[in-house]
Amino acid sequence: MTDEDLRKQAHDLDVTVWVGKSGIDAVTDELADQLADRELVKVKFLRAARGGTTTDELAEELAERVDSDLVETRGNTAVLH
C-alpha cells in the first residue's frame, strides 16, 4: 500500500492517542497496542506536549519508539502505520 493510499484511509480516522504535557513516554505503550490492533493510528499533539519542538520532530521520535512508519503530519496531528 502506498503512502497516498494510507493518507486517504487516515482522512476519516478519529484521533485515538493524545500526547499531552506528560510527553510521548506516556503514550508509547498505548500506541504500540493500537498499532498491533489496526493498520493506522492518528495521534494528536497538544500544545503542552510540543514545548520547544515541532509536531514533525515529536511524531518522528514517537514512530521510532514504537517501530512504525510516519505516514504524514498535518497541523498538530500525525498518522502512524
Side-chain angles (χ1 to χ4, degrees), residues 16-78:
T16 54
V17 175
W18 286 264
V19 181
K21 64 185 172 196
S22 301
I24 59 178
D25 290 337
V27 300
T28 307
D29 291 341
E30 174 62 24
L31 178 59
D33 289 345
Q34 288 191 27
L35 283 165
D37 290 342
R38 58 190 107 138
E39 196 172 12
L40 295 170
V41 176
K42 206 178 253 190
V43 181
K44 175 98 176 189
F45 295 91
L46 304 175
R47 183 170 38 232
R50 293 194 304 273
T53 60
T54 66
T55 299
D56 288 335
E57 289 170 332
L58 284 171
E60 285 171 20
E61 186 176 342
L62 188 56
E64 201 173 282
R65 287 200 192 181
V66 294
D67 197 26
S68 66
D69 296 318
L70 178 61
V71 177
E72 72 171 338
T73 55
R74 181 173 295 163
N76 297 316
T77 305

